[in-house]
């Protein structure tokens, strides 16, 4: 008997336009809770309770985003474009709230600075380095005033990128 596909076509047919915004909001809320748990942890940072936990965090939001943006680019509609326009700055703000969080960056930086004593494998080392670099590039080391300015730029950039993508689709 042939294996059942991971995604059935009928499952996508069950998704309605009105499902997306609540799904995005639920994904954002869940990701916030997961990140907050890492940040609030009273345990000393370890690869498992910081980097691996970050890797596991946000799965619902990632699934919702993948489905939405793939379907939006494959067969968009005015309603889907409206959702993309609404979500772009919200998602940018959400990502900034995590990547610019000082407490979270301190945990990552502590691990990064002590990486030689952690006995990490090649993949774990690369992942730690990637998170450290990503947080720095996202503005984690900026002062509060500069972080706020970067957040505004990121929101605007997300909105303009969405607008550009939509103009391409119309063209």
């Amino acid at each position: 008997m042939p294996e059942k596909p991971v995604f059935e076509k009928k499952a996508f047919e069950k998704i309605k336009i009105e499902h997306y915004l609540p799904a995005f909001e639920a994904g954002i809320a869940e990701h916030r809770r997961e990140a907050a748990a890492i940040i609030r942890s009273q345990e000393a940072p370890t690869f498992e309770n910081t980097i691996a936990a970050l890797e596991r965090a946000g799965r619902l939001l990632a699934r919702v985003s993948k489905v939405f943006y793939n379907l939006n680019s494959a067969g968009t509609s005015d309603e889907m474009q409206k959702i993309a326009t609404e979500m772009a700055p919200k998602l940018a703000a959400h990502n900034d709230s995590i990547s610019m969080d000082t407490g979270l960056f301190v945990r990552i930086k502590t691990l990064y600075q002590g990486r030689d004593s952690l006995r990490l494998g090649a993949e774990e080392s690369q992942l730690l380095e990637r998170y450290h670099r990503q947080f720095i590039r996202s503005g984690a080391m900026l002062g509060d005033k500069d972080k706020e300015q970067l957040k505004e730029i990121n929101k605007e950039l997300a909105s303009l990128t969405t607008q550009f993508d939509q103009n391409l689709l119309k063209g």
Side-chain angles (χ1 to χ4, degrees):
M1 190 158 129
E3 286 188 36
K4 188 175 180 182
V6 176
F7 294 107
E8 293 183 37
K9 185 177 180 181
K10 291 179 183 177
F12 283 102
E13 292 171 357
K14 293 178 184 177
I15 300 172
K16 305 288 183 220
I17 198 77
E18 61 269 15
H19 296 154
Y20 287 115
L21 285 176
F24 272 118
E25 295 300 330
I28 289 171
E30 180 180 283
H31 195 201
R32 278 191 190 131
R33 284 190 302 275
E34 293 164 338
I38 297 166
I39 295 162
R40 286 192 317 264
S41 176
Q42 296 300 309
E43 297 176 14
T46 64
F47 182 86
E48 182 59 36
N49 71 16
T50 303
I51 303 302
L54 279 169
E55 275 292 289
R56 289 187 299 270
R59 288 187 175 166
L60 174 61
L61 181 57
R63 279 196 319 264
V64 171
S65 295
K66 286 177 186 174
V67 169
F68 175 78
Y69 287 106
N70 281 323
L71 292 177
N72 186 39
S73 35
T76 193
S77 66
D78 290 343
E79 295 89 358
M80 295 211 35
Q81 288 186 4
K82 183 178 177 187
I83 292 169
T85 300
E86 181 178 339
M87 289 309 303
K90 289 181 181 182
L91 290 170
H94 170 68
N95 290 330
D96 285 346
S97 74
I98 292 174
S99 64
M100 291 186 196
D101 186 277
T102 304
L104 187 53
F105 182 64
V106 166
R107 294 183 69 84
I108 294 167
K109 186 177 176 182
T110 299
L111 290 170
Y112 184 78
Q113 289 175 336
R115 65 192 178 279
D116 293 336
S117 64
L118 294 177
R119 296 188 174 112
L120 299 175
E123 291 174 354
E124 293 167 325
S125 291
Q126 186 174 11
L127 193 58
L128 173 58
E129 288 180 27
R130 184 176 58 120
Y131 269 98
H132 184 258
R133 184 174 48 252
Q134 176 186 337
F135 270 67
I136 289 172
R137 289 178 178 171
S138 295
M141 293 179 67
L142 295 173
D144 290 341
K145 184 179 176 185
D146 291 332
K147 281 183 182 179
E148 290 308 312
Q149 185 178 6
L150 182 56
K151 287 176 184 180
E152 289 304 313
I153 290 168
N154 287 341
K155 280 189 215 176
E156 184 177 357
L157 184 59
S159 294
L160 290 172
T161 300
T162 300
Q163 184 180 1
F164 177 79
D165 291 343
Q166 290 174 355
N167 288 341
L168 275 178
L169 285 172
K170 289 176 187 172

